[in-house]
């Protein structure tokens, strides 16, 4: 079974620029998650999708972050404009459905904002 | 906010020794999961224990859950250098099955 694919692997941008991350979950997985992991910390949930609908985005900084999953498969996460404190690894994960045993994570996109 | 808190934050042991990591959490859960993360990589699901279970085994891993104390432990027996990684507990809570991670334990196993 193919894993969760994320791109790009690394990204360096200047503050106030915009950036987008892409995620392709495991085929058939209805639930998709975006997490932000700052160096030395545990992942923090940004947004959870069930198919193409948002289940929870309470921790998404909506003034600068946006995410979509238009056809219920791939998803993109965008930051506009980026701040220095957005430097982190952005992890995408998917599961068969809510409450399924264990998530499958992608390798993440490491973002550095300078 | 983080639901689970791991203890210790860092652990260094010799190959062959056992490693024990603890996790405490604050609210009711559906289940508790443990993940491993190698440096610069994504997280790998290790084991899930449901709220009505007390102990679970998987290979060299043993997980316990005490819902009265809102705590869990992960034991890795006969550790190997390849076990060097960060280990995170994550609690599945609420109707939306949100997974909330703790800060992790950084384990180093010296050959």
């Amino acid at each position: 079974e193919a894993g969760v694919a994320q791109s790009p692997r690394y990204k360096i941008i200047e503050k106030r620029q915009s950036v987008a991350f892409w995620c392709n979950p495991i085929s058939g997985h209805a639930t998709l998650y975006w997490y932000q992991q700052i160096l030395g910390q545990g992942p923090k949930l940004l947004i959870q999708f069930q198919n193409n609908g948002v289940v929870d985005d309470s921790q998404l900084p909506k003034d600068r972050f946006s995410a979509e999953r238009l056809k219920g498969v791939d998803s993109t996460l965008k930051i506009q404009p980026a701040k220095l404190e957005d430097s982190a690894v952005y992890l995408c994960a998917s599961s068969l459905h809510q409450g399924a045993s264990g998530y499958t994570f992608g390798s993440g996109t490491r973002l550095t904002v300078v | 906010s983080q639901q689970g808190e791991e203890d210790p934050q860092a652990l260094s042991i010799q190959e062959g020794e056992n490693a024990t990591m603890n996790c405490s959490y604050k609210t009711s859960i559906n289940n508790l999961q443990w993940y491993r993360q190698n440096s610069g990589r994504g997280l790998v699901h290790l084991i899930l224990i449901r709220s009505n279970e007390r102990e679970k085994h998987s290979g060299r891993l043993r997980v316990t859950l005490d819902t009265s104390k809102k705590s869990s432990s992960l034991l890795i027996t006969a550790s190997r250098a390849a076990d060097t990684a960060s280990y995170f507990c994550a609690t599945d809570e609420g109707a939306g099955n949100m997974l909330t991670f703790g800060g992790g334990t950084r384990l180093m196993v010296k050959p």
Side-chain angles (χ1 to χ4, degrees):
Chain A
E1 158 179 271
V4 175
Q6 288 190 248
S7 67
R9 188 77 174 91
Y10 304 94
K11 190 74 177 178
I12 300 174
I13 62 172
E14 295 182 347
K15 60 184 179 184
R16 291 186 289 273
Q17 286 187 322
S18 62
V19 64
F21 313 126
W22 173 82
C23 172
N24 179 233
I26 290 175
S27 177
H29 278 197
T31 313
L32 184 147
Y33 316 82
W34 283 102
Y35 281 83
Q36 179 194 59
Q37 186 177 23
I38 292 172
L39 186 65
Q41 298 182 17
K44 183 184 86 170
L45 179 67
L46 293 175
I47 189 167
Q48 176 182 345
F49 291 96
Q50 179 72 14
N51 296 310
N52 61 349
V54 175
V55 175
D56 188 287
D57 64 356
S58 58
Q59 297 190 78
L60 187 74
K62 298 181 189 62
D63 58 333
R64 297 183 301 105
F65 286 65
S66 64
E68 59 184 14
R69 193 184 183 199
L70 292 175
K71 297 182 179 178
V73 181
D74 293 5
S75 177
T76 56
L77 175 69
K78 297 178 182 177
I79 307 175
Q80 181 179 16
K83 293 185 176 181
L84 297 176
E85 58 260 36
D86 298 331
S87 294
V89 176
Y90 291 85
L91 295 162
C92 178
S94 69
S95 63
L96 195 57
H97 54 77
Q98 287 179 222
S101 58
Y103 295 4
T104 303
F105 279 83
S107 296
T109 295
R110 182 177 297 277
L111 174 68
T112 302
V113 182
V114 298
Chain B
S1 63
Q2 292 185 319
Q3 157 81 306
E5 294 296 331
E6 283 91 338
D7 170 60
Q9 291 187 335
L11 181 61
S12 181
I13 59 174
Q14 292 293 135
E15 205 165 28
E17 294 181 336
N18 296 340
T20 299
M21 289 158 267
N22 302 297
C23 170
S24 60
Y25 57 92
K26 298 172 185 171
T27 63
S28 297
I29 60 173
N30 302 314
N31 62 67
L32 186 144
Q33 304 176 29
W34 285 90
Y35 286 79
R36 183 186 72 225
Q37 185 177 40
N38 291 86
S39 180
R41 306 299 297 271
L43 288 91
V44 174
H45 179 256
L46 294 176
I47 196 166
L48 179 152
I49 186 165
R50 302 195 185 283
S51 59
N52 61 353
E53 296 177 310
R54 292 297 167 259
E55 187 171 313
K56 206 161 184 180
H57 297 254
S58 177
R60 295 184 295 112
L61 306 180
R62 173 178 168 253
V63 169
T64 62
L65 179 65
D66 186 336
T67 52
S68 66
K69 295 181 179 179
K70 292 187 169 56
S71 67
S72 173
S73 68
L74 170 68
L75 168 68
I76 304 174
T77 60
S79 64
R80 305 166 182 168
D83 295 329
T84 294
S86 290
Y87 292 81
F88 295 90
C89 71
T91 51
D92 179 324
E93 59 202 62
N97 297 103
M98 287 174 48
L99 203 60
T100 304
F101 285 82
T105 292
R106 279 153 284 285
L107 173 67
M108 175 174 287
V109 181
K110 300 174 186 175

